[in-house]
Amino acid sequence: MSKNTTQIKAAVVREKGGPFYIETLTLEAPRRDEVLVRVVATGLCHTDMVARDKGYPVPQPIVLGHEGAGIVESVGADVVKVAPGDSVVLTFLTCGRCRPCRLGRMAHCEKTFPLSFGGARLDGSTATLDGHGEKVHDHFFGQSSFATYALANERNVVKVSGDVPLERLGPLGCGIQTGAGAVMNALNVRPGTSFASFGAGAVGCSAIMAARAVGATTIVAIDIVPSRLEMAKDLGATHAINSKQTNPVEAIRDITGGGVDYSLEASGDPRALHQAIEALGSLGTCGIVGAEPLGTEVSFDVNTLMIQGKGIRGILEGESVPDIFIPQLIELNAQGRFPFEKLTKFYSLDQINQAAQDSEKGGTIKPIIRLSPV
Ligand SMILES: [Zn+2]
Ligand SMILES: [Zn+2]
C-alpha cells in the first residue's frame, strides 16, 4: 500500500441480482476536487437494489451505497468547502454547469444519470482496485459509500455540525430528503391542506413526517404492508389505507370530501400512480418520486385534468439544495418535529445482504449499515 492509496473494506456487487461480497480494496487518493471521507454509516436505499439488479444499466463489479455520512479524512488541493475532521453527509452529485444546476435546481442536473449510475467519474476513470489488481466500478452517486472510506466530490459533501451523532444522518442525503423535499420544496404543501402518500416506505414516511411538520391537517398513508401503515400513523398520518383491501381512490374521496390537495406516488407501481392522479381534488397536484421501470407509461383522463386544473409533476431528490435543506432537516429532527430515527435499523457491513432482504420484505423501513465507530 503506497501512501497515495487507502485500503478499504467494502461491499462489492459482482453479478446481476447480487449478493454483496465483503472485500478488501484499494482506493486512490482524492483528486483536486475530491474529498476522502471515513464513512461512519450508510443508509441502504431502494435504488441500491435497482442497481444491484441492473434495473438501470449500472456496470459491475461495483461498490454501491449513496447515503453515506462520515468524517473528512483528506481533501484535494482545490477543495475549500470542508477540511479534514469535518462531519459530512454525502448526497447526490451534480455537474454545477448545466442549465438546471445554474438555476439552482440541481436535483434535475442534466448529468444526473452518468454521475449517479455511470460507475466512474465523468471522464470514465475509476479509483478502486480489488485484491487481484482488477478494476472495480465506483463513484456511484459520486460516493460508493458501502465502504469504510468513500471518495466524494466537493459538490456532494454537506458539512454538518459536529455535535449531531453522524451514524443516523446518511439517509438524509437521498431517501429522506426525497420524501421530505417533495412535500416542502416541490409540492410546497400548505398548512390546513390534505396530502396522500402512495407508499409508506422510507420516502413515503419521510413525506408524511414533512406534511405534518408543515401543518397539513389530513394526511393519508396508502400501502399494502400493515406494519408500514402503523408506522405512518405513528409519524403523523391521520388515515391509513391498505390498498389490498380498500380502493384508495374512493376512500380518499370520502375522507377529503371530493379529493386530496396533494398526492405523492412513492411506491414505483404504475397502478398506484394512476390512483394518485385519480384521487386528486380540484386544483390538486400529484408528485411522482417512485422509480418505475424505464419506458413505463400511465394514462389519465385529459379533460378531468384540464377542467379541474390538476397538475402532475416529476420530482427528484426532493428538489432540494442539499447544503441548505439537509441542515434544516437536522434542526427539525433536533426539535422533535421530524423523527426520522423511527424508520432506521442498524446492521453491520457483514449483515448487508440481510439488510437488503429485510428492506425488500418491508420489515425494515430504512436499514443503515455501520462502517466504523465514530
Ligand atoms: Zn448539472
Ligand atoms: Zn437513494
Side-chain angles (χ1 to χ4, degrees), residues 93-102 105-112 115 155:
L93 180 58
T94 57
C95 80
R97 298 186 186 93
C98 70
R99 190 162 185 273
C101 276
R102 285 185 286 129
R105 310 280 303 273
M106 58 270 278
H108 294 286
C109 171
E110 290 169 4
K111 294 274 193 273
T112 287
L115 284 170
R155 287 187 57 79

Side-chain angles (χ1 to χ4, degrees), residues 231-289:
M231 174 66 74
K233 285 206 300 213
D234 188 37
L235 296 171
T238 55
H239 301 78
I241 299 169
N242 187 328
S243 54
K244 251 186 186 166
Q245 296 159 1
T246 306
N247 178 327
V249 176
E250 286 172 15
I252 288 170
R253 284 181 181 153
D254 284 347
I255 291 164
T256 56
V260 72
D261 295 318
Y262 309 93
S263 65
L264 189 70
E265 202 314 279
S267 73
D269 178 345
R271 287 165 306 178
L273 175 54
H274 184 76
Q275 291 166 342
I277 297 167
E278 289 277 296
L280 290 174
S282 295
L283 303 172
T285 306
C286 172
I288 305 171
V289 296

Side-chain angles (χ1 to χ4, degrees), residues 54-115:
K54 281 195 175 269
Y56 294 150
V58 179
Q60 295 176 351
I62 188 167
V63 178
L64 300 172
H66 65 286
E67 292 186 346
I71 309 279
V72 174
E73 180 83 8
S74 62
V75 299
D78 294 343
V79 172
V80 294
K81 188 181 183 183
V82 292
D86 284 348
S87 295
V88 289
V89 171
L90 308 183
T91 188
F92 58 95
L93 180 58
T94 57
C95 80
R97 298 186 186 93
C98 70
R99 190 162 185 273
C101 276
R102 285 185 286 129
L103 284 166
R105 310 280 303 273
M106 58 270 278
H108 294 286
C109 171
E110 290 169 4
K111 294 274 193 273
T112 287
F113 211 88
L115 284 170

Side-chain angles (χ1 to χ4, degrees), residues 183 189 193-197 199-201 204-222 227-241 255 336-340 342-343 365:
V183 166
V189 171
T193 59
S194 55
F195 170 80
S197 178
C205 281
S206 301
I208 286 162
M209 278 186 280
R212 179 166 72 171
V214 301
T217 42
T218 302
I219 301 173
V220 187
I222 302 98
S227 61
R228 290 182 173 191
L229 291 169
E230 283 308 309
M231 174 66 74
K233 285 206 300 213
D234 188 37
L235 296 171
T238 55
H239 301 78
I241 299 169
I255 291 164
R337 297 160 71 194
F338 189 74
F340 70 89
K342 290 185 178 178
L343 306 177
I365 293 182

